[in-house]
Amino acid sequence: MTRPLSSAERSLQGRNDWLREEERKAIESRGEIGRMEFWLRLTRSQITKEVKANRGDVVAGFTMVCRLFKLVVERRAGGDPRLFDHLMQYADTVLKQHGPRS
């Protein structure tokens, strides 16, 4: 028998369910571009909240992530897919371990 979820667990589960549903709707509406736009909107909103909470280093962190992604895309376009493949593998591993549960 499983115990009932705590208030915090129910809240987290509700948030994860909402994220999955909104992502699904974005994909249905605009495909992978819609999915990307959904996550960019959420990220921008979170960055704004972090800056207001005096955690402005989030801007530098996001900038570095964008620069990294640009670099690996350029390398792949130049014929070397290794960095892109490694980045995708790492991102998949992190999201499986720490992302919203399916």
Side-chain angles (χ1 to χ4, degrees):
M1 184 156 113
T2 58
R3 66 171 175 75
L5 296 176
S6 70
S7 174
E9 290 168 330
R10 280 193 313 273
S11 177
L12 182 60
Q13 184 179 31
R15 172 77 173 162
N16 288 342
D17 290 346
W18 179 83
L19 286 170
R20 280 190 294 277
E21 180 62 18
E22 291 300 311
E23 182 181 41
R24 183 192 62 76
K25 286 193 259 183
I27 293 167
E28 284 180 1
S29 166
R30 296 196 17 106
E32 288 299 313
I33 296 294
R35 180 195 309 242
M36 176 193 66
E37 290 170 345
F38 167 72
W39 287 108
L40 282 173
R41 277 192 307 276
L42 247 52
T43 302
R44 184 175 180 182
S45 174
Q46 188 65 43
I47 289 170
T48 300
K49 291 174 186 173
E50 291 291 304
V51 169
K52 286 180 182 177
N54 294 319
R55 293 186 292 265
D57 59 341
V58 71
V59 174
F62 185 72
T63 301
M64 288 181 70
V65 168
C66 290
R67 289 178 59 204
L68 171 64
F69 190 76
K70 183 180 179 303
L71 172 70
V72 300
V73 169
E74 288 172 350
R75 290 276 179 93
R76 184 173 73 163
D80 183 4
R82 291 176 300 162
L83 283 177
F84 185 85
D85 293 343
H86 291 163
L87 181 63
M88 295 299 285
Q89 288 170 0
Y90 178 70
D92 185 57
T93 299
V94 170
L95 289 171
K96 282 180 181 172
Q97 290 176 5
H98 302 286
R101 302 290 188 243
S102 298

